[in-house]
Amino acid sequence: MGSPVKRALLGALVLVAAIPASAHHSTTAEFDVAHRMTLSGTLTKVDWVNPHIVVFIEAMGAEGAGNVAWKFESNPPAWFRRVGVSRADFAKAVGQTVTVEGNRAKDGSRYGYLVKFTYADGTSLELVAPGSDR
Amino acid sequence: MKQRALLLTLIVVTAVATLAAQTNNGHPDLSGTWLFSIDLPPIALKRTTSGGATTVKGIDASGRRPAAAAVAGALPFTAAPAYKPEFRAKVKDLFDHESRTDPVFYCGRPGVPRIGSPRRIIQLPNEFVFLYEDISGDPYRIIPADGRPHKKDGNPSHYGDSVAHWDGKTLVVDVVNFVDDTWFGEDGFFHSDAMHVTERFWRDGANLVYQVTVEDPKVLTAPWTMAPRVVKPSTDPLEESPKCVEADSKLLVNDDHHGQR
């Protein structure tokens, strides 16, 4: 409700310039949208919760450091449902090596906003600006 | 045998038509499943196969946005409510710090009218049932339409106490008795416990039109009527919304807005 056109335009500009905006807190208040990080590791868990789904990754740390746990949140479950993605689409990869791309939390924690999820077989799911197929 | 089958068909058709007429009492049929109207990211999903083929699928958020064109039957509307001078600084402060102050960002219930139009409407002869899907949970509203007044002993709530009546082909839902901890719009539009909401629903062809007027004499200088929303029918059935677990507030490093509506 209460959606002035200028806000929609601002949102569109943000989309073009950076990662998809969150339906929740400000994306730029939390994540470094200017840089996209890539991480490979084992998918250990999927939380299908509001306001953001969360995937858990065990990534190889520096030599001798053992595995390092990362979390990446993404869009709300209701959004994923409407673009045809269910929890099972992520959960089927639990235990497998996956590659995630996203924007890291500005506070430096091992937390990010998931933008692209690539399965071991090379298939991927990616959040893109509307109209990216045109 | 053929005659019996024909007779049976006639009886069934007559019964269904009679039931439909009774259900609507001659009023427009608002029942059905409608497009979502909650706030979702205006983002698309790109799928890429291992062979490199791609498909992109977006979402239709039109049910949440102000109607793109003039809507027949709509009331005059304005972009924003007019607050009394002594409250304007508060609205600005809430808006400027929305990532920290907006209750919805913390799994709070949006309440009426921020939740938007229902995902499903069940229309009975003297009663409506509104069903919603929302990030904070899936509320329902049972709304009498038999001429009764508001409850005298109801507790204040996020979705208020509703009664409905028909004004021609428009269903008018009158809502009062709210708690005062919701916003009626994203931009820091707080309200008092005196808020009075009037929701109007009517059909525009296959679509449902939803328009809201908010009155709050304690904080507003005048009633505020919002732009109408045109909500398309949907074949997407309702699904229980997963629980809401807020995990981001501790990661906020500034007061940037989320830049999305």
Side-chain angles (χ1 to χ4, degrees), chain B residues 141-157:
Chain B
R141 296 164 67 196
I142 297 174
I143 303 171
D146 56 2
R148 78 179 69 178
H150 285 288
K151 292 174 193 157
K152 288 184 177 159
D153 56 354
N155 288 309
S157 63

Side-chain angles (χ1 to χ4, degrees), chain B:
Chain B
M1 198 65 184
K2 267 186 178 175
Q3 278 181 333
R4 284 184 64 184
L6 188 64
L7 185 63
L8 189 62
T9 305
L10 253 174
I11 290 170
V12 170
V13 167
T14 306
V16 169
T18 305
L19 186 64
Q22 285 175 346
T23 300
N24 294 334
N25 273 346
H27 297 298
D29 183 9
L30 306 182
S31 63
T33 304
W34 302 97
L35 192 66
F36 74 94
S37 61
I38 61 170
D39 193 17
L40 293 179
I43 305 301
L45 181 89
K46 179 179 176 183
R47 285 177 184 265
T48 305
T49 68
S50 53
T54 62
T55 55
V56 174
K57 184 174 183 183
I59 61 168
D60 182 354
S62 60
R64 184 172 180 80
R65 313 283 173 225
V71 179
L75 298 174
F77 58 89
T78 55
Y83 276 85
K84 292 181 177 179
E86 62 268 36
F87 295 117
R88 289 172 193 167
K90 178 178 178 178
V91 174
K92 183 178 183 307
D93 186 63
L94 291 172
F95 175 57
D96 287 347
H97 303 93
E98 63 170 5
S99 280
R100 304 175 198 276
T101 57
D102 187 345
V104 163
F105 289 0
Y106 294 85
C107 297
R109 299 176 187 183
V112 166
R114 193 170 169 188
I115 196 167
S117 58
R119 271 277 283 136
R120 180 156 184 189
I121 295 177
I122 299 168
Q123 183 168 346
L124 301 170
N126 289 308
E127 188 174 70
F128 285 79
V129 180
F130 287 1
L131 303 175
Y132 298 84
E133 289 173 315
D134 186 68
I135 279 170
S136 67
D138 304 322
Y140 64 89
R141 296 164 67 196
I142 297 174
I143 303 171
D146 56 2
R148 78 179 69 178
H150 285 288
K151 292 174 193 157
K152 288 184 177 159
D153 56 354
N155 288 309
S157 63
H158 297 83
Y159 298 96
D161 178 54
S162 303
V163 292
H165 69 274
W166 288 97
D167 178 9
K169 293 184 175 181
T170 299
L171 181 73
V172 180
V173 182
D174 191 276
V175 200
V176 296
N177 203 7
F178 291 102
V179 292
D180 64 0
D181 58 358
T182 61
W183 293 3
F184 59 84
E186 279 89 350
D187 296 352
F189 297 161
F190 78 96
H191 61 85
S192 78
D193 58 1
M195 181 169 74
H196 171 204
V197 175
T198 306
E199 301 169 287
R200 291 180 175 83
F201 297 86
W202 67 95
R203 292 293 297 263
D204 182 18
N207 299 325
L208 178 74
V209 184
Y210 177 61
Q211 191 173 27
V212 171
T213 299
V214 175
E215 296 171 68
D216 191 337
K218 287 187 181 177
V219 301
L220 300 181
T221 60
W224 179 45
T225 297
M226 305 179 198
R229 270 63 173 160
V230 176
V231 189
K232 299 172 187 168
S234 170
T235 55
D236 177 25
L238 277 72
E239 183 177 291
E240 179 184 327
S241 300
K243 67 180 176 182
C244 193
V245 183
E246 203 289 316
D248 296 85
S249 55
K250 64 182 184 299
L251 298 172
L252 298 174
V253 298
N254 61 44
D255 289 325
D256 284 356
H257 285 224
H258 70 38
Q260 171 204 329
R261 291 291 184 264

